[in-house]
Amino acid sequence: CMTVDRLTCKSLELTACVKLAEESGANWFFGVDMSILGPVVAEQYGLRYSGTKDPEVVRACLQKGGCVIANVTGDREGHTGLFSKVRHYIVVLSVDGDEVCILDPSYKEGKYEAEGRAGKARVDAPFVYCSLQDLHEDCICANPMLEKYPYYHLFTRA
């Protein structure tokens, strides 16, 4: 919804997005498969969609005015999730040097001061800033069953 609002002159209401996810088969019992929903939303709203695991492709997309949905994976052995303890989607709005600007739909005050997260993100609510490298580290998937999916879902104006 945030991506459509940012890249188009239209709004995608949450209830309409849920309906699109259900109708497209992207709404699974454990969450939404953005590899299915992304292309459907892109087609309906006149956007281009692609997926990648490469943070430099993310940088290029953002520098050209695109928007990225990152699939952060949460806590895993040796890593405390910066954005979530479990899998979660966040919207990456822009990049400046090595710092990315993010909208986190589950943002709440104090979230980024928690143990293991403190000092990795800067908050100017509603925006959260962190390094592209820290974002990428948070997207790495330790589950071999899910490794085939992109870490990043890129949207650009058509």
Side-chain angles (χ1 to χ4, degrees), residues 109-129:
E109 195 169 321
K111 177 179 182 177
Y112 296 98
E113 285 81 42
E115 186 177 338
R117 295 178 178 167
K120 291 185 177 182
R122 177 174 61 86
V123 177
D124 185 9
F127 304 105
V128 179
Y129 301 87

Side-chain angles (χ1 to χ4, degrees), residues 71-86 115-117 120 133-142:
N71 187 3
V72 295
T73 59
D75 294 346
R76 61 181 184 276
E77 190 172 328
H79 177 79
T80 299
L82 176 57
F83 297 96
S84 180
K85 292 181 180 290
V86 296
E115 186 177 338
R117 295 178 178 167
K120 291 185 177 182
Q133 181 58 41
D134 282 343
L135 171 63
H136 186 66
E137 185 68 28
D138 221 45
C139 291
I140 293 172
C141 182

Side-chain angles (χ1 to χ4, degrees), residues 13-24:
E13 296 298 323
L14 185 56
T15 53
C17 191
V18 170
K19 185 176 179 185
L20 273 177
E22 290 171 349
E23 290 173 350
S24 67

Side-chain angles (χ1 to χ4, degrees), residues 18-79:
V18 170
K19 185 176 179 185
L20 273 177
E22 290 171 349
E23 290 173 350
S24 67
N27 196 9
W28 298 1
F29 67 93
F30 59 83
V32 172
D33 184 338
M34 194 59 63
S35 298
I36 296 172
L37 183 59
V40 170
V41 169
E43 182 177 331
Q44 186 164 340
Y45 288 88
L47 300 170
R48 289 191 187 103
Y49 167 85
S50 63
T52 188
K53 291 183 180 180
D54 186 342
E56 291 307 314
V57 174
V58 169
R59 180 190 307 277
C61 174
L62 295 170
Q63 287 174 333
K64 293 177 183 172
C67 201
V68 176
I69 296 175
N71 187 3
V72 295
T73 59
D75 294 346
R76 61 181 184 276
E77 190 172 328
H79 177 79

